[in-house]
């Protein structure tokens, strides 16, 4: 078994944290969903993992059969490719653009009309152009990027499907936009970062497609590879679990069972006698 540098955290401390988390979840998850959404801590197994950023951290899996580099971890709600986990670093690079490799599920979201007054940081003239005065609905598609991470893309219209391919602007319009962007970048070199300027250039060269064939990947900068792992143990020791199981469902002794049987037989006898009285009594039907 592999040993990683450093030591596992105190089990009691981790258990306390997990119990507090479960109590919090019970507060906002309806009771009927507890079995599905709230982890059973008595089945949780602890591991230490070493990541390629140099960090060593602790994780929990359900049961102890799947080592952490084979388990599927999540970035927010999106599943990550096996072997990857997130680790936050303040100096992570900004998200890169990645090509969309696959279109997945679709959902519609309805937005209310925008407020008439712009927010404090928006120019009223810009707001008068951007503002939507009616509620509107957009279609969001789940997309898997070339790096294997999952993001969302907005369709250009509700009836758009991936098989339709992107819509493109008229070539004259694209030419005009290219000239406008070049002017704007010259006038204000800070207008877009190098990354965004390159993205804009690619989109212009591609005829300004909608939806864009690439998205920013917010997972890439925070995702790390699991390099090594170490087994720590059950979050709730197995011994205590089985002791608890025997104390709640004790196996009755033979004499106790015989006592219960005799009691049940005499009760059955009493009920039979009562039934006989009813059958012979004045309230007997028909
Ligand atoms: Zn790290
Ligand atoms: Zn990515």
């Amino acid at each position: 078994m592999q040993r990683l540098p450093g030591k596992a955290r105190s089990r009691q401390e981790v258990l306390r944290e997990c119990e507090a988390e479960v109590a919090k979840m019970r507060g906002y998850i309806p009771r009927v969903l507890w079995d599905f959404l709230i982890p059973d801590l008595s089945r949780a197994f602890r591991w230490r993992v070493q990541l390629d950023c140099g960090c060593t951290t602790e994780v929990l899996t359900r049961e102890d059969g799947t080592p952490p580099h084979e388990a599927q971890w999540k970035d927010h709600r999106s599943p990550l490719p096996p072997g990857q986990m997130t680790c936050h670093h303040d100096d992570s690079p900004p998200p890169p653009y990645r090509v969309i490799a696959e279109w997945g599920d679709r959902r519609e979201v309805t937005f209310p009309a925008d407020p008439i007054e712009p927010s404090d940081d928006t120019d009223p003239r810009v707001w008068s152009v951007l503002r939507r005065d009616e509620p509107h609905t957009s279609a969001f598609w789940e997309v898997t990027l070339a790096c294997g991470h999952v993001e969302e893309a907005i369709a250009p219209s509700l009836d758009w499907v991936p098989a339709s391919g992107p819509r493109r602007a008229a070539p004259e319009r694209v030419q005009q936009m290219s000239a406008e962007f070049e002017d704007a970048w010259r006038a204000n070199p800070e207008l877009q970062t190098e990354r965004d300027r390159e993205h804009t250039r690619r989109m212009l060269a591609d005829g300004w497609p909608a939806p864009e064939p690439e998205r920013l990947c917010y997972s890439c900068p925070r995702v790390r590879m699991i390099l090594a792992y170490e087994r720590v143990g059950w979050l709730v020791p197995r011994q205590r679990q089985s002791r608890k199981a025997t104390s709640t469902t004790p196996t009755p002794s033979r004499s106790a069972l015989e006592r219960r049987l005799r009691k049940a037989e005499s009760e059955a006898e009493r009920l039979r006698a009562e039934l006989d009285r009813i059958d012979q009594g004045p309230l007997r039907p028909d």
Side-chain angles (χ1 to χ4, degrees):
M1 196 193 301
Q2 203 155 0
R3 301 289 314 166
L4 298 182
K7 257 177 67 200
R9 297 176 58 203
S10 132
R11 190 186 62 78
Q12 280 84 358
E13 190 182 300
V14 178
L15 181 60
R16 265 200 304 278
E17 282 174 17
C18 291
E19 282 170 343
E21 188 59 34
V22 162
K24 217 165 71 189
M25 290 171 90
R26 289 203 169 122
Y28 62 82
I29 294 176
R31 184 178 279 268
V32 290
L33 297 176
W34 284 5
D35 283 352
F36 304 99
L37 300 179
I38 297 184
D40 178 358
L41 298 183
S42 68
R43 299 172 68 185
F45 192 81
R46 300 173 65 204
W47 309 80
R48 292 176 72 223
V49 293
Q50 194 173 43
L51 306 174
D52 66 355
C53 49
C55 297
T56 301
T57 182
E58 285 190 25
V59 294
L60 293 168
T61 57
R62 196 168 133 161
E63 306 295 350
D64 65 339
T66 309
H69 67 294
E70 287 174 18
Q72 187 160 57
W73 302 100
K74 284 183 177 174
D75 182 14
H76 294 292
R77 283 170 47 239
S78 307
L80 291 172
Q84 297 187 352
M85 263 186 62
T86 57
C87 189
H88 177 80
H89 287 256
D90 281 334
D91 59 352
S92 292
Y97 279 98
R98 301 287 191 214
V99 169
I100 295 173
E102 216 181 288
W103 294 81
D105 291 340
R106 174 191 185 278
R107 66 187 179 106
E108 287 186 5
V109 181
T110 299
F111 300 92
D114 289 328
I116 292 171
E117 292 300 319
S119 57
D120 290 345
D121 55 352
T122 309
D123 185 302
R125 281 165 305 172
V126 174
W127 186 240
S128 69
V129 178
L130 293 180
R131 182 178 169 266
R132 294 190 192 239
D133 49 10
E134 305 241 334
H136 66 281
T137 302
S138 295
F140 287 77
W141 288 78
E142 193 184 270
V143 291
T144 305
L145 307 177
C147 51
H149 299 140
V150 177
E151 293 288 340
E152 256 188 338
I154 303 183
S157 63
L158 285 180
D159 59 357
W160 182 89
V161 290
S164 323
R167 294 172 189 169
R168 291 185 164 82
E172 313 81 64
R173 175 74 190 117
V174 176
Q175 224 165 20
Q176 188 191 352
M177 283 166 68
S178 294
E180 283 167 3
F181 269 110
E182 293 299 337
D183 284 348
W185 289 327
R186 246 193 313 278
N188 180 7
E190 309 280 289
L191 184 67
Q192 281 189 309
T193 61
E194 186 63 31
R195 177 200 67 187
D196 289 339
R197 203 160 43 220
E198 287 311 309
H199 167 73
T200 305
R201 285 209 172 98
R202 284 195 297 278
M203 294 306 105
L204 288 166
D206 193 7
W208 205 251
E212 293 183 348
E214 55 183 45
R215 297 282 304 153
L216 286 175
C217 181
Y218 290 92
S219 294
C220 268
R222 49 178 180 235
V223 156
R224 311 290 173 172
M225 294 303 293
I226 298 173
L227 296 182
Y229 67 86
E230 175 188 298
R231 294 171 70 89
V232 176
W234 296 99
L235 182 61
V236 180
R238 288 273 124 154
Q239 249 176 333
R240 192 201 293 177
Q241 285 180 28
S242 51
R243 254 212 314 275
K244 204 168 146 197
T246 49
S247 67
T248 50
T249 52
T251 309
S253 68
R254 184 177 174 83
S255 60
L257 280 173
E258 281 170 349
R259 255 198 319 277
R260 272 159 64 186
L261 182 62
R262 276 198 299 277
K263 202 173 158 205
E265 276 170 347
S266 69
E267 174 71 357
E269 195 55 43
R270 191 184 63 77
L271 287 172
R272 256 184 238 110
E274 203 160 317
L275 274 173
D276 284 343
R277 267 202 306 280
I278 290 170
D279 286 347
Q280 291 155 9
L283 293 175
R284 192 179 165 199
D286 71 48

Short mmCIF file of all heavy atoms in Angstrom, two decimals, residues 239-252:
data_model
loop_
_atom_site.label_atom_id
_atom_site.label_comp_id
_atom_site.label_asym_id
_atom_site.label_seq_id
_atom_site.Cartn_x
_atom_site.Cartn_y
_atom_site.Cartn_z
N GLN A 239 -16.38 -1.86 13.21
CA GLN A 239 -16.69 -2.54 14.47
C GLN A 239 -17.89 -1.92 15.15
O GLN A 239 -18.82 -2.58 15.53
CB GLN A 239 -15.50 -2.41 15.42
CG GLN A 239 -14.79 -3.70 15.66
CD GLN A 239 -13.58 -3.44 16.52
OE1 GLN A 239 -13.03 -2.33 16.51
NE2 GLN A 239 -13.16 -4.42 17.28
N ARG A 240 -17.83 -0.56 15.21
CA ARG A 240 -18.90 0.14 15.90
C ARG A 240 -20.22 -0.05 15.14
O ARG A 240 -21.27 -0.19 15.72
CB ARG A 240 -18.57 1.62 16.01
CG ARG A 240 -19.51 2.32 16.98
CD ARG A 240 -19.56 3.80 16.76
NE ARG A 240 -18.28 4.43 17.10
CZ ARG A 240 -18.07 5.73 16.93
NH1 ARG A 240 -19.00 6.50 16.40
NH2 ARG A 240 -16.92 6.26 17.25
N GLN A 241 -20.11 -0.06 13.78
CA GLN A 241 -21.31 -0.24 12.98
C GLN A 241 -21.98 -1.58 13.27
O GLN A 241 -23.18 -1.65 13.42
CB GLN A 241 -20.97 -0.18 11.50
CG GLN A 241 -20.69 1.22 11.02
CD GLN A 241 -20.36 1.21 9.55
OE1 GLN A 241 -20.83 0.35 8.82
NE2 GLN A 241 -19.58 2.16 9.11
N SER A 242 -21.16 -2.69 13.36
CA SER A 242 -21.77 -3.99 13.55
C SER A 242 -22.31 -4.14 14.98
O SER A 242 -23.32 -4.75 15.20
CB SER A 242 -20.78 -5.11 13.21
OG SER A 242 -19.58 -4.90 13.89
N ARG A 243 -21.58 -3.53 15.97
CA ARG A 243 -22.09 -3.55 17.36
C ARG A 243 -23.45 -2.89 17.41
O ARG A 243 -24.37 -3.39 18.03
CB ARG A 243 -21.11 -2.82 18.28
CG ARG A 243 -20.31 -3.76 19.15
CD ARG A 243 -19.95 -3.16 20.49
NE ARG A 243 -19.45 -1.81 20.44
CZ ARG A 243 -18.17 -1.50 20.22
NH1 ARG A 243 -17.29 -2.44 20.00
NH2 ARG A 243 -17.78 -0.24 20.23
N LYS A 244 -23.55 -1.75 16.71
CA LYS A 244 -24.79 -1.00 16.70
C LYS A 244 -25.90 -1.86 16.08
O LYS A 244 -27.01 -1.91 16.58
CB LYS A 244 -24.60 0.27 15.87
CG LYS A 244 -25.55 1.37 16.24
CD LYS A 244 -25.10 2.66 15.60
CE LYS A 244 -26.27 3.51 15.20
NZ LYS A 244 -25.87 4.53 14.24
N ALA A 245 -25.53 -2.60 15.01
CA ALA A 245 -26.52 -3.42 14.32
C ALA A 245 -27.05 -4.51 15.25
O ALA A 245 -28.24 -4.76 15.30
CB ALA A 245 -25.90 -4.04 13.08
N THR A 246 -26.15 -5.14 16.05
CA THR A 246 -26.63 -6.22 16.91
C THR A 246 -27.47 -5.66 18.06
O THR A 246 -28.39 -6.31 18.51
CB THR A 246 -25.48 -7.05 17.50
OG1 THR A 246 -24.53 -6.16 18.04
CG2 THR A 246 -24.84 -7.96 16.48
N SER A 247 -27.14 -4.46 18.53
CA SER A 247 -27.90 -3.94 19.66
C SER A 247 -29.31 -3.53 19.24
O SER A 247 -30.22 -3.59 20.04
CB SER A 247 -27.17 -2.77 20.31
OG SER A 247 -27.16 -1.69 19.42
N THR A 248 -29.50 -3.13 17.98
CA THR A 248 -30.84 -2.70 17.58
C THR A 248 -31.71 -3.89 17.16
O THR A 248 -32.91 -3.84 17.32
CB THR A 248 -30.80 -1.67 16.44
OG1 THR A 248 -29.94 -2.20 15.42
CG2 THR A 248 -30.28 -0.33 16.90
N THR A 249 -31.10 -4.97 16.61
CA THR A 249 -31.90 -6.13 16.24
C THR A 249 -31.31 -7.39 16.89
O THR A 249 -30.64 -8.17 16.23
CB THR A 249 -31.95 -6.32 14.70
OG1 THR A 249 -30.59 -6.31 14.23
CG2 THR A 249 -32.72 -5.24 14.01
N PRO A 250 -31.52 -7.56 18.20
CA PRO A 250 -30.94 -8.71 18.88
C PRO A 250 -31.60 -10.00 18.40
O PRO A 250 -32.79 -10.03 18.11
CB PRO A 250 -31.26 -8.45 20.35
CG PRO A 250 -32.42 -7.53 20.34
CD PRO A 250 -32.40 -6.77 19.07
N THR A 251 -30.80 -11.08 18.28
CA THR A 251 -31.38 -12.38 17.92
C THR A 251 -31.96 -12.98 19.18
O THR A 251 -31.26 -13.19 20.17
CB THR A 251 -30.27 -13.30 17.38
OG1 THR A 251 -29.56 -12.59 16.37
CG2 THR A 251 -30.86 -14.56 16.77
N PRO A 252 -33.31 -13.28 19.21
CA PRO A 252 -33.91 -13.78 20.45
C PRO A 252 -33.45 -15.21 20.77
O PRO A 252 -33.17 -15.98 19.87
CB PRO A 252 -35.41 -13.73 20.15
CG PRO A 252 -35.53 -13.59 18.69
CD PRO A 252 -34.23 -13.14 18.12
#
